[in-house]
């Protein structure tokens, strides 16, 4: 299959179309499509061969694939086909043309709550990223809104983690996005979430003022009480503060209102763990044993131990998509080594408010005790 014979979907003004999606086994899948990734050689990459660069930095595909991709011109340097022994230089542009398979998400609708000329608010389901990132492009909130409601371009002004649900405010113009960002950066925006936590949360209001230290290699944060160390030099992470108020409890779980003053990575989740009342279905923060987490991460990285989305491991159908002979994911619809981990976290954004504006989202079904 000649690269020049394939039309890039990324050249379309729309991010996605209705026909891009396949619904199977309770999941929303994306039909595999051709896409060109563009990057520039950084300091760490300089001096490596083009094949070594990809084999070392992008381990999702075997080395043999990258050898074939360079030879066939699917990987180019500054727009030119190069030999597999080519040594890359600083700031050169590298393009990788590939058959892209996105991970599936749950089939829950992205419900539009309010549509105004310059703002749209939605109730984001868990499992769906807000905007293109990592392996996701079409299977995102902005991608689905473009496909199903012809809403685009869109400018998300805040982000919810993939497994977190609730209110998402999206600007429809760059000017409106700047308005919201100025208020957020100025500390004028108040946020409210609800969480379902373990145990009986204290009845009185509780304020947690503990630094958040995010560890990218572990994919989780830790909290540290800055006042207890007595030495600012020993304090790691960034200052973070969250106010918690119990809404209800049944003796086993509690429903808690969470009002973050700052916006650190996993702040609400780790601050709830810090109080001794973690979110009741949070796989990362139900335990503080990092060794257990590292074991789980190691298993997740090992593709041989990953669990596929369905027992029949959904494979190619001629009605669904065409197989690319060089693609390492075909004939499966899902990416190689995909692990199912889409359970909705019991954390939901219910309100954002600022100077002269306020938006709300209904409570989820799990919020009833």
């Amino acid at each position: 299959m000649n690269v020049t014979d394939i039309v890039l979907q990324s050249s379309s003004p729309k991010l996605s179309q209705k026909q891009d999606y396949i619904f199977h086994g309770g999941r929303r899948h994306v039909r595999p499509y051709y896409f060109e990734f563009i990057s520039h050689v950084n300091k760490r990459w300089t001096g490596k061969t083009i094949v070594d660069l990809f084999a070392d930095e992008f381990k999702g595909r075997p080395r043999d694939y990258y050898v074939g991709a360079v030879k066939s011109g699917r990987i180019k340097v500054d727009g030119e086909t190069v030999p597999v022994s080519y040594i890359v230089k600083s700031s050169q542009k590298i393009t990788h043309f590939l058959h892209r398979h996105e991970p599936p998400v749950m089939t829950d609708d992205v419900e539009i709550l309010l549509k105004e000329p310059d703002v749209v608010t939605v109730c984001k389901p868990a499992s769906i990223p807000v905007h293109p990132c990592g392996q996701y492009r079409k299977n995102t909130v902005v991608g689905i809104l473009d496909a199903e409601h012809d809403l685009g371009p869109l400018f998300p002004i805040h982000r919810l983690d993939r497994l977190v649900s609730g209110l998402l405010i999206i600007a429809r113009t760059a000017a409106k996005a700047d308005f919201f960002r100025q208020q957020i950066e100025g500390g004028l925006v108040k946020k409210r979430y609800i969480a379902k936590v373990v145990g009986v949360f204290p009845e009185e209001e509780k304020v947690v003022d503990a630094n958040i230290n995010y560890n990218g290699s572990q994919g989780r944060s830790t909290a540290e009480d800055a006042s207890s160390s007595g030495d600012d030099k020993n304090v790691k992470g960034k200052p973070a503060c969250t106010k918690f108020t119990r809404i209800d409890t049944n003796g086993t779980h509690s429903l808690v209102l969470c009002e973050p003053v700052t916006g650190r990575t996993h702040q609400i989740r780790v601050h709830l763990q810090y109080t001794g009342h973690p979110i009741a279905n949070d796989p990362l923060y139900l335990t503080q044993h990092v060794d257990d987490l590292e074991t789980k991460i190691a298993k997740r990285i090992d593709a041989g131990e990953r669990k596929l989305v369905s027992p029949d491991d959904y494979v190619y159908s001629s009605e669904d998509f065409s197989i690319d002979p060089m693609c390492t994911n075909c004939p499966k619809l899902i990416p190689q080594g995909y692990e199912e981990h889409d359970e909705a976290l019991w954390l939901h954004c219910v309100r954002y408010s600022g100077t002269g504006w306020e938006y709300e989202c209904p409570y989820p079904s799990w919020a009833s005790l």
Side-chain angles (χ1 to χ4, degrees):
M1 186 179 295
N2 194 318
V3 173
T4 59
D5 295 334
I6 304 169
V7 177
L8 272 173
Q9 288 195 25
S10 56
S11 62
S12 169
K14 282 181 66 66
L15 178 59
S16 51
Q17 309 272 357
K18 284 185 178 180
Q19 60 267 28
D20 292 340
Y21 300 98
I22 299 171
F23 296 89
H24 169 79
R27 298 289 190 273
R28 177 194 292 265
H29 296 265
V30 174
R31 298 179 193 276
Y33 56 96
Y34 287 98
F35 189 77
E36 189 172 54
F37 284 96
I38 300 174
S39 58
H40 290 83
V41 178
N42 58 38
K43 185 177 180 180
R44 189 178 70 251
W45 295 358
T46 301
K48 291 186 176 184
T49 69
I50 187 67
V51 172
D52 285 345
L53 187 162
F54 276 90
D56 293 345
E57 301 290 338
F58 305 99
K59 299 181 183 297
R61 292 177 172 82
R63 184 183 182 87
D64 288 347
Y65 165 81
Y66 293 122
V67 171
V70 172
K71 288 181 176 179
S72 67
R74 292 199 177 196
I75 292 177
K76 293 184 176 182
V77 179
D78 288 337
E80 301 292 334
T81 300
V82 297
V84 294
S85 58
Y86 183 84
I87 306 294
V88 300
K89 303 175 184 66
S90 178
S91 300
Q92 286 184 311
K93 184 176 79 169
I94 297 179
T95 56
H96 183 195
F97 182 86
L98 51 70
H99 199 227
R100 190 172 188 179
H101 294 235
E102 294 191 27
V105 299
M106 303 298 285
T107 56
D108 299 331
D109 290 334
V110 178
E111 178 187 358
I112 294 179
L113 302 172
L114 181 68
K115 185 162 66 172
E116 298 176 332
D118 52 2
V119 177
V120 60
T121 66
V122 303
C123 184
K124 182 187 100 63
S127 88
I128 304 177
V130 173
H131 50 72
C133 57
Q135 294 187 79
Y136 298 90
R137 184 169 176 266
K138 297 174 183 287
N139 248 351
T140 59
V141 171
V142 295
I144 293 169
L145 288 175
D146 191 22
E148 297 186 349
H149 300 280
D150 203 25
L151 286 172
L154 296 174
F155 305 85
I157 59 113
H158 68 105
R159 188 179 67 86
L160 299 178
D161 287 346
R162 192 176 69 85
L163 295 183
V164 176
S165 59
L167 176 68
L168 193 63
I169 305 169
I170 306 174
R172 301 182 68 181
T173 65
K176 194 64 175 181
D178 288 339
F179 164 79
F180 282 121
R181 289 191 185 111
Q182 288 173 13
Q183 291 214 357
I184 291 172
E185 292 170 1
L188 303 176
V189 175
K190 295 181 179 180
K191 299 164 277 187
R192 285 190 169 191
Y193 292 71
I194 56 167
K196 191 178 192 177
V197 305
V198 171
V200 179
F201 199 86
E203 187 173 4
E204 67 278 4
E205 178 183 284
K206 189 170 185 62
V207 177
V208 175
D209 192 356
N211 281 33
I212 297 294
N213 185 25
Y214 180 70
N215 187 318
S217 63
Q218 294 182 1
R220 65 180 274 166
S221 295
T222 52
E224 179 183 15
D225 187 349
S227 62
S228 65
S229 69
D231 185 357
D232 290 341
K233 294 181 180 179
N234 293 328
V235 175
K236 297 179 181 180
K238 299 178 180 179
C241 180
T242 314
K243 182 172 70 174
F244 299 107
T245 308
R246 192 179 82 189
I247 299 172
D248 194 11
T249 184
N250 61 6
T252 302
H253 296 121
S254 298
L255 194 63
V256 178
L257 175 66
C258 316
E259 299 175 274
V261 179
T262 51
R264 310 302 182 195
T265 302
H266 293 183
Q267 176 177 319
I268 295 175
R269 299 167 68 179
V270 73
H271 274 179
L272 283 169
Q273 181 198 49
Y274 187 80
T275 69
H277 300 276
I279 295 173
N281 70 341
D282 192 335
L284 282 183
Y285 298 106
L286 275 173
T287 174
Q288 297 199 31
H289 298 300
V290 177
D291 288 344
D292 292 347
L293 176 67
E294 289 175 343
T295 300
K296 291 178 182 178
I297 291 175
K299 289 183 177 180
R300 193 179 309 159
I301 292 173
D302 181 358
E305 294 186 39
R306 294 182 181 182
K307 183 173 63 173
L308 296 172
V309 69
S310 59
D312 60 352
D313 189 9
Y314 190 55
V315 295
Y316 161 80
S317 165
S318 59
E319 296 179 357
D320 292 337
F321 65 97
S322 298
I323 286 185
D324 183 317
M326 282 191 63
C327 180
T328 57
N329 293 310
C330 289
K332 298 176 183 177
L333 180 59
I334 59 178
Q336 181 70 31
Y338 170 75
E339 179 187 16
E340 180 183 359
H341 47 85
D342 282 338
E343 182 180 6
L345 194 67
W346 287 340
L347 179 63
H348 184 86
C349 181
V350 294
R351 189 172 78 175
Y352 262 61
S353 61
T355 304
W357 59 271
E358 178 179 299
Y359 297 104
E360 294 188 348
C361 182
Y363 278 22
S365 58
W366 53 256
S368 173
L369 297 178

